[in-house]
Amino acid sequence: MSSDTVLSDDTGTGAPTRAAALLREVFGFDAFRPGQGEIVEAVAAGDNVLAIMPTGGGKSLCYQLPALIGHGVTVVVSPLIALMRDQVRALREAGVEAGALTSGNTPEETDAVWDALHDGRLKLLYLAPERLASGGTQRMLAEAGVTRIAVDEAHCVSQWGHDFRPDYLRIGELRRALGVPLAAFTATADTETQGEIVTRLFDGAAPTTFLRGFDRPNLHLAFQPKDQPRRQILAFAAARRGQSGIVYCGTRAKTESLAQALREEGHSALAYHGGMEPDQRRDTEERFATEDGLIVVATVAFGMGVDKPDIRWVAHADLPKSIEAYYQEIGRAGRDGAPAETLTLFGADDIRLRRSQIDEGNAPPERRAADHGRLNALLGLAEAIGCRRRQLLSYFGEDHPGNCGGCDLCDRPPETFDGTEAVRKALSAALRTGESFGAGHLIDILLGNATDKVRQRGHESLPTFGVGKDLSRSQWQAVFRQMMGRDLIRPDPDRHGALWMTEAARPILRGEAGITLRRDTIDRAKAARPAVKTLVSEEDAPLMSALKAKRRALAEAARVPAYVIFPDRTLIEMAERRPANLDEMAGISGIGAKKLERYGAAFLEVIRGEAEAVHPARRKLAGGSSGAVYDRLLSAQADLARGPDGTDKPLSCSASQLAKVAEVRPRDADTLTRLLGERRAERFGAAFLDILQDG
């Protein structure tokens, strides 16, 4: 379908034109995100649609907007009560009639939904898939004038997917009974999962399919080998103090102990796992949705359908079970499009556990082989020697030119070495011991450590005994870890994790292929000290704090999550652009007509109050001649913020940089460049030097 096709609707207005108007008026956005416009058009036209979009790519808008364009009710099948309630609250704040029928409703809430349905006011009705098991649901929907079904998290229909929900299998039956189009949305669906979605939901008839890329450029990707993992997680959280985050753990016990450790470090943190009482889980979900800066330490039981857009970071204390699971879980960060960060820890124990979970499962052989492939892809990502984003996207069949500049390996390219000889020695040690031992024993042989276990088995007489003294134990551990990541060796769960060689290793062993490895990444991880991460520049930070405080107060008064008022991305834009009136405020992304009317004046008041306040860096210069120089520098910067002709990208110096220049008063361009950096010196240098020479 071409993007310039004009569709008709009840109003007689072309649907694309109407959609653009509603996008601005209701949701506060001037333009669609990449790919959204085509999908909205297809859904509004009544096509059956399968849309595979990155988490945070704006899937919800692709069925919410068509619901407002056309007549009747759009039924949204969604997996979690918390997700449905959040979306309904956000829609109502934007002035849209929406409701949910869930087991968590009060009788009054259910009555209100029925009344809105009966009166023809309701545009979107959210249901859990389990509700479809009720005999009366189908009849109720037929009488309610349903014109479209939307399915969120559609991968739940697939036995290949990692969040299979049996009740999703009833959706296809509902589509046939109502005779209405269906739009299915998911963030992760490999070939098998896509095939099962088409079979289950569309009776095998291919829907209009949109594959809208998997890249999330606002997410920073990082991996670290485990080395005191609790310390690593605490350091990562400390550098992001006050920001909402999720820590995923492999066991329930670890969620409890790590949440306690975070609280002892002064963080607001809660545990979440399937062993908790339902009321406890609901309370944690509610607090996470409504509180700024809360950390949830959870098993994978938490997160599917989490719709909180301002989660600023996600950390994995243990390796996820597959590359799809990894992508889905990190995708819960930064859904508002603002910068967010991820960290994944991994170690040999993780790899052994994940392998044994696959091998000991009841899945048929082809499924187990596929699951090993998914895990191998994640291990390869963990042990990558080049841009992680490029490797991740390549797995999903997407090209990424060059280095991304948004992962740890682009930040600090790894040191590599020719690992061919080391790998051959390791493989030789495994083969000469009958592929019957784990990495620890093999490393003792390579290092020449005559332990009791080595002597009991006569392994001190092997030709490989002591041939690996050129590497330390930690370096050999890194070699074995990377060999597993490249799928050269695998642990045998039937023999206590004994390592055996795969076919992929034979060319290296025979001298027909070489291999490049990373130097021990644990040493590098220790050297990297986490820097404190901020959402805005130092100059805008006080205003950002004030805006967040106002948002929190309004959210508490309205008893809604803070992001329902405005997401972080909108506050960041306010802090940076500092609108002076309601007209300018209306141009901020995420502020529709209803929200402008409700909250515009309150946030303008905060911006004006902050503008009148003296920045701490300026306050320190009060009473001296440097204060007057600072003010003149600030004025010159304002004139040149968009370049000499007013058309360049906005640029500014931080308050502390201006204060430093005012105090030091450099007289030459080189010194000024050292203080400001090349880009800022190029923009402001000549004007600043004129002021400094006059002063």
Side-chain angles (χ1 to χ4, degrees):
M1 180 182 298
S2 66
S3 58
D4 56 357
T5 303
V6 176
L7 309 171
S8 61
D9 67 70
D10 297 342
T11 66
T13 308
T17 306
R18 179 77 174 131
L22 289 170
L23 183 69
R24 175 69 256 175
E25 181 185 338
V26 176
F27 298 99
F29 301 119
D30 289 323
F32 287 112
R33 294 187 193 180
Q36 275 185 325
E38 291 176 279
I39 298 171
V40 166
E41 185 180 344
V43 174
D47 292 355
N48 284 325
V49 168
L50 170 59
I52 301 161
M53 305 171 70
T55 305
K59 295 191 298 292
S60 303
L61 190 74
C62 291
Y63 56 79
Q64 291 171 349
L65 200 50
L68 304 187
I69 294 172
H71 64 280
V73 181
T74 293
V75 167
V76 183
V77 180
S78 187
L80 286 182
I81 290 174
L83 169 65
M84 291 187 274
R85 293 178 76 88
D86 286 351
Q87 290 207 2
V88 167
R89 282 187 289 201
L91 285 165
R92 287 176 176 168
E93 278 291 318
V96 175
E97 285 277 3
L101 291 175
T102 77
S103 58
N105 280 22
T106 64
E108 293 77 18
E109 287 172 332
T110 298
D111 288 345
V113 173
W114 283 114
D115 288 345
L117 263 177
H118 184 266
D119 296 344
R121 290 182 283 112
L122 205 69
K123 299 302 294 179
L124 291 117
L125 174 64
Y126 285 77
L127 295 174
E130 289 74 15
R131 185 108 187 176
L132 301 179
S134 164
T137 298
Q138 193 169 296
R139 187 172 59 255
M140 174 270 289
L141 294 177
E143 294 169 356
V146 172
T147 54
R148 182 182 296 107
I149 300 170
V151 183
D152 207 358
E153 310 289 354
H155 63 274
C156 293
V157 79
S158 172
Q159 308 245 14
W160 288 90
H162 50 276
D163 293 317
F164 176 61
R165 297 275 287 264
D167 289 291
Y168 264 68
L169 302 178
R170 295 190 174 93
I171 299 172
E173 179 188 332
L174 177 67
R175 180 188 65 81
R176 290 189 295 273
L178 296 179
V180 297
L182 184 146
F185 298 86
T186 182
T188 52
D190 56 20
T191 304
E192 295 94 342
T193 304
Q194 288 181 45
E196 196 162 353
I197 290 172
V198 171
T199 300
R200 301 286 192 183
L201 297 184
F202 301 102
D203 292 333
T208 302
T209 300
F210 297 90
L211 182 58
R212 283 294 165 249
F214 291 89
D215 194 11
R216 292 285 307 284
N218 64 313
L219 292 188
H220 185 275
L221 310 179
F223 282 73
Q224 284 180 14
K226 286 186 176 180
D227 179 38
Q228 301 177 44
R230 176 171 295 194
R231 175 192 60 77
Q232 290 169 286
I233 294 293
L234 291 177
F236 191 73
R240 291 146 189 88
R241 189 173 295 278
Q243 298 180 10
S244 297
I246 303 174
V247 182
Y248 283 111
C249 299
T251 65
R252 295 174 178 182
K254 190 180 285 189
T255 66
E256 300 279 2
S257 62
L258 194 48
Q260 178 63 33
L262 284 162
R263 287 193 293 270
E264 289 171 1
E265 294 282 320
H267 298 278
S268 179
L270 296 173
Y272 184 103
H273 56 74
M276 293 165 57
E277 292 297 322
D279 287 348
Q280 287 179 291
R281 292 203 303 272
R282 276 195 292 273
D283 180 61
T284 300
E285 289 167 0
E286 186 70 21
R287 284 189 58 186
F288 188 62
T290 54
E291 291 183 25
D292 278 339
L294 184 66
I295 300 170
V296 171
V297 187
T299 60
V300 292
F302 182 79
M304 187 181 69
V306 168
D307 201 34
K308 184 180 173 73
D310 53 358
I311 299 170
R312 297 271 63 91
W313 57 272
V314 168
H316 283 91
D318 299 299
L319 190 73
K321 68 179 184 180
S322 69
I323 197 162
E324 283 88 357
Y326 166 77
Y327 179 83
Q328 186 90 351
E329 287 153 18
I330 64 168
R332 282 151 196 159
R335 293 172 66 122
D336 56 2
E341 294 173 285
T342 71
L343 172 67
T344 302
L345 303 184
F346 65 100
D349 288 343
D350 289 321
I351 300 169
R352 279 193 289 272
L353 172 65
R354 294 305 187 194
R355 293 275 189 222
S356 64
Q357 286 174 335
I358 295 169
D359 290 329
E360 293 168 13
N362 296 320
E366 68 273 12
R367 174 65 185 272
R368 289 205 301 271
D371 287 344
H372 274 300
R374 292 181 172 101
L375 178 59
N376 289 347
L378 181 58
L379 298 178
L381 182 64
E383 296 291 4
I385 59 175
C387 173
R388 292 198 199 277
R389 179 167 273 103
R390 192 168 66 234
Q391 185 157 334
L392 176 63
L393 294 177
S394 174
Y395 174 81
F396 289 111
E398 193 173 324
D399 291 330
H400 189 287
N403 291 339
C404 72
C407 72
D408 55 340
L409 298 183
C410 285
D411 296 342
R412 301 176 68 219
E415 295 175 37
T416 59
F417 68 102
D418 184 348
T420 308
E421 185 181 351
V423 169
R424 281 185 194 151
K425 289 176 180 177
L427 292 172
S428 176
L431 289 171
R432 290 179 184 278
T433 54
E435 296 178 300
S436 300
F437 297 90
H441 183 71
L442 297 177
I443 291 172
D444 280 331
I445 292 171
L446 291 163
L447 291 174
N449 292 336
T451 64
D452 290 344
K453 187 175 178 180
V454 168
R455 284 197 302 271
Q456 285 167 8
R457 287 159 178 79
H459 290 164
E460 75 277 16
S461 61
L462 291 173
T464 46
F465 185 77
V467 298
K469 291 181 178 179
D470 54 322
L471 298 180
S472 67
R473 175 170 289 274
S474 67
Q475 288 170 329
W476 272 117
Q477 287 169 339
V479 168
F480 275 90
R481 201 178 56 241
Q482 291 180 69
M483 288 170 67
M484 280 194 251
R486 305 287 186 89
D487 200 24
L488 303 179
I489 51 175
R490 288 186 184 179
D492 185 343
D494 296 329
R495 293 190 300 155
H496 311 291
L499 296 174
W500 57 275
M501 185 177 75
T502 68
E503 285 299 315
R506 294 194 183 279
I508 299 173
L509 186 64
R510 291 195 293 252
E512 298 167 0
I515 186 169
T516 300
L517 298 179
R518 297 166 64 181
R519 294 246 177 243
D520 190 351
T521 48
I522 289 178
D523 293 339
R524 290 165 52 80
K526 283 179 178 174
R529 296 184 178 276
V532 176
K533 306 292 181 179
T534 58
L535 295 175
V536 294
S537 69
E538 179 190 5
E539 187 172 354
D540 295 328
L543 175 54
M544 185 69 181
S545 297
L547 292 170
K548 289 183 84 169
K550 171 56 72 175
R551 178 180 67 175
R552 191 179 310 115
L554 290 169
E556 288 172 359
R559 302 185 68 182
V560 297
Y563 63 80
V564 167
I565 305 297
F566 290 127
D568 279 358
R569 191 178 190 179
T570 299
L571 297 192
I572 290 168
E573 199 173 329
M574 275 190 215
E576 290 175 344
R577 288 175 53 180
R578 302 184 182 231
N581 51 50
L582 285 176
D583 290 333
E584 291 182 11
M585 181 71 86
I588 300 290
S589 179
I591 304 183
K594 273 284 183 194
K595 290 193 175 183
L596 183 67
E597 182 185 330
R598 283 181 186 165
Y599 307 122
F603 281 89
L604 275 176
E605 214 172 284
V606 174
I607 293 167
R608 288 177 187 138
E610 188 62 37
E612 290 163 8
V614 177
H615 193 283
R618 171 64 178 85
R619 197 179 301 124
K620 289 178 183 176
L621 303 180
S625 59
S626 295
V629 174
Y630 178 101
D631 293 340
R632 292 179 65 196
L633 293 172
L634 189 63
S635 176
Q637 174 180 266
D639 292 338
L640 292 168
R642 286 187 173 272
D645 57 3
T647 59
D648 293 338
K649 188 176 179 180
L651 185 66
S652 63
C653 306
S654 69
S656 61
Q657 283 176 317
L658 291 178
K660 190 73 174 174
V661 171
E663 287 178 304
V664 174
R665 302 194 194 188
R667 301 287 176 162
D668 61 272
D670 288 344
T671 307
L672 191 62
T673 300
R674 281 197 296 275
L675 293 174
L676 299 181
E678 287 186 10
R679 285 175 59 237
R680 288 175 176 80
E682 185 180 344
R683 176 76 59 90
F684 307 115
F688 283 8
L689 286 172
D690 285 346
I691 292 168
L692 295 167
Q693 281 157 8
D694 290 346

